[in-house]
């Protein structure tokens, strides 16, 4: 399905959350504070001076995109400009979409957050432990960071891998810690959540995200990279002392842990939509943004909840996450008491510290707060 056809479908079908959707987000004249635009320009230019080829920045307030900017190029050779509609990889920002999918299925009674993962992915070897969906979403399951075997393994990260292959290699690894006893970031855990979604719904993960979130919410540039309506874009990495256009990992390698593509404008709107009851029920969002507890009833030390961190920014409640994958970095923050979201995507990873999207997001958030 092409993006043009998605726009037509959004026009014709009766969408149950009619107050939420909009076509590809654009600037709204008169709503773009000059301070935000200037902060975005300065921060993006600093990143490009560090070598980053291209940057996208978007800011939403009360669900309206009040700023959407694009800087630099998608390809150095052709000098193709980055635009606000350029689709980029968002890496681990995908995790909050996966967590939202699990929560939506829980709303429907299709699962309980405390269900064991092997109920839905029986081929996964829990090694005698109880591993729950809740633990997987909060990175407290004790699983290793990644499922991929170390080289030389014969596994190509640039070619399709199957569910069976992924779980085969994951089953061969011991747990890092006992489930529930520690916090340890795990892409492998979010891969299992994606497989659980597929088992429960009988639909591919990409289809579920498109039909449950992207289409109803008007996020027409969001979905699994390389799917029927989205490209699998290539970004740059600082490799062996020079910038190189990198081959993207195959979407099946990262899938529900980091395989989605989007734009900064879509991401800024997404933060508002899920917070305000369009993408999930308020109770589900409250669960998504409540820091996890370990088995000893202590909170995890970094405020991680379900696919997001929950902390503070300049005294304001903050929900955030980052993403990094070959060729791309991303940062998405949401200040809940301001209903303010800032999204940044760059087409550069590995990259120097000066090219971090967090630096851009923080600068823009500061300007947005000061411009009120």
């Amino acid at each position: 399905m092409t993006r043009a056809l998605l726009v037509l479908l959004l026009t014709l079908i009766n969408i149950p959350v009619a107050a939420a959707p909009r076509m590809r987000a654009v600037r709204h004249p008169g709503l773009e504070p000059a301070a935000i635009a200037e902060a975005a320009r300065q921060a993006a230019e600093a990143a490009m001076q560090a070598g980053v080829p291209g940057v996208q920045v978007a800011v939403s307030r009360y669900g309206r995109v009040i700023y959407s900017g694009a800087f630099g190029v998608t390809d150095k050779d052709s000098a193709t400009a980055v635009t606000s509609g350029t689709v980029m990889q968002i890496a681990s920002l995908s995790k909050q979409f996966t967590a939202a999918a699990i929560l939506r299925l829980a709303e429907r009674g299709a699962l309980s957050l405390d269900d064991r993962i092997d109920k839905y992915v029986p081929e996964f070897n829990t090694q005698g432990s109880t591993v729950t969906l809740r633990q997987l979403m909060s990175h407290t399951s004790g699983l290793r960071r990644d499922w991929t075997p170390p080289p030389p393994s014969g596994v190509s990260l640039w070619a399709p891998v199957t569910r069976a292959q992924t779980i085969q290699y994951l089953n061969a690894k011991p747990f890092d810690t006992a489930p529930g006893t520690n916090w340890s970031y795990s892409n492998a855990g979010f891969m299992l959540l994606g497989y659980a979604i597929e088992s429960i719904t009988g639909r591919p993960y990409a289809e579920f995200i498109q039909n449950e979130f992207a289409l109803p919410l008007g996020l027409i540039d969001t979905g699994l990279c390389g799917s029927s309506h989205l490209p699998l874009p290539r970004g740059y990495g600082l490799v062996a002392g020079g910038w190189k256009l990198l081959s993207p990992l195959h979407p099946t390698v990262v899938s529900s842990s980091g395989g989605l593509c989007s734009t900064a404008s879509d991401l800024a709107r997404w933060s508002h939509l899920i917070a305000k009851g369009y993408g999930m029920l308020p109770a589900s969002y409250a669960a998504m943004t409540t820091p996890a507890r370990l088995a000893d009833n202590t909170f995890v030390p970094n405020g991680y909840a379900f696919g997001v961190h929950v902390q503070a920014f300049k005294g304001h409640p903050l929900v955030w996450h980052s993403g990094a994958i070959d060729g791309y970095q991303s940062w998405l923050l949401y200040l809940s008491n301001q209903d303010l979201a800032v999204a940044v995507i760059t087409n550069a990873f590995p990259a120097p510290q000066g090219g971090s999207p967090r630096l851009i997001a923080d600068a823009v958030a500061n300007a947005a707060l000061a411009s009120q």
Side-chain angles (χ1 to χ4, degrees):
M1 182 183 295
T2 65
R3 280 187 279 169
L5 181 55
L6 284 178
V7 173
L8 179 61
L9 283 174
L10 285 168
T11 305
L12 296 177
I13 62 177
N14 180 23
I15 298 172
V17 285
R22 185 161 61 242
M23 298 310 108
R24 180 183 292 124
V26 296
R27 286 192 182 98
H28 296 277
L31 293 177
E32 180 184 311
I36 293 176
E38 182 61 16
R41 182 190 66 79
Q42 291 184 4
E45 287 183 353
M48 289 190 292
Q49 287 173 4
V52 172
V55 180
Q56 266 186 0
V57 185
V59 181
S60 76
R61 180 174 280 147
Y62 308 121
R64 305 179 73 179
V65 175
I66 61 172
Y67 175 77
S68 178
F71 309 86
V73 298
T74 62
D75 183 270
K76 292 184 175 184
D77 293 334
S78 65
T80 302
V82 176
T83 72
S84 295
T86 298
V87 173
M88 297 187 173
Q89 296 193 50
I90 64 172
S92 283
L93 294 188
S94 306
K95 289 180 170 64
Q96 57 193 269
F97 287 84
T98 300
I102 292 290
L103 290 165
R104 172 161 284 190
L105 291 172
E107 291 171 357
R108 296 173 180 168
L111 57 81
S112 165
L113 300 187
D114 293 311
D115 284 343
R116 296 168 57 112
I117 184 60
D118 47 319
K119 178 178 180 180
Y120 307 110
V121 190
E123 64 270 41
F124 171 62
N125 181 7
T126 63
Q127 302 178 30
S129 298
T130 296
V131 179
T132 67
L133 303 178
R134 182 185 303 274
Q135 291 168 342
L136 292 168
M137 286 197 293
S138 60
H139 296 302
T140 59
S141 67
L143 268 68
R144 293 286 184 93
R145 181 180 178 92
D146 294 302
W147 67 265
T148 51
S153 64
V155 176
S156 172
L157 304 184
W158 299 271
V161 296
T162 65
R163 168 172 170 156
Q165 287 175 308
T166 302
I167 295 176
Q168 173 191 347
Y169 289 111
L170 184 55
N171 282 346
K173 298 183 176 184
F175 284 32
D176 280 347
T177 61
T181 63
N182 202 357
W183 186 90
S184 182
Y185 196 82
S186 177
N187 292 313
F190 269 79
M191 291 291 286
L192 290 178
L193 289 170
Y195 296 145
I197 292 166
E198 293 181 338
S199 293
I200 293 166
T201 65
R203 298 151 66 186
Y205 172 79
E207 181 182 319
F208 189 85
I209 295 299
Q210 179 177 329
N211 292 341
E212 296 288 335
F213 296 122
L215 271 173
L217 299 179
L219 307 175
I220 65 170
D221 294 318
T222 300
L224 189 70
C225 301
S227 58
S228 58
H229 71 293
L230 292 176
L232 177 57
R234 299 175 67 186
Y236 286 83
L238 189 58
V239 181
W243 288 97
K244 179 181 178 182
L245 188 61
L246 303 179
S247 297
L249 301 182
H250 195 276
T252 56
V253 172
V254 285
S255 187
S256 49
S257 71
L260 297 188
C261 281
S262 190
T263 62
S265 293
D266 266 13
L267 290 174
R269 290 190 57 238
W270 161 258
S271 289
H272 162 83
L273 291 168
I274 59 172
K276 298 303 177 182
Y278 296 108
M280 62 178 70
L281 296 176
S284 295
Y285 186 73
M288 184 179 187
T289 55
T290 298
R293 291 180 182 269
L294 299 174
D296 62 4
N297 206 36
T298 61
F299 286 107
V300 296
N302 57 4
Y304 207 90
F306 294 156
V308 293
H309 292 269
V310 181
Q311 296 175 331
F313 181 87
K314 306 292 184 179
H316 299 278
L318 169 69
V319 178
W320 71 275
H321 210 282
S322 61
I325 196 168
D326 289 3
Y328 290 91
Q329 286 190 90
S330 55
W331 197 277
L332 178 60
L333 65 83
Y334 178 70
L335 303 178
S336 56
N337 66 342
Q338 304 292 311
D339 197 8
L340 175 74
V342 179
V344 179
I345 312 175
T346 68
N347 59 350
F349 185 78
Q353 186 174 359
S356 167
R358 178 179 184 174
L359 296 177
I360 303 172
D362 285 357
V364 172
N366 279 323
L369 290 172
S371 67
Q372 295 183 95

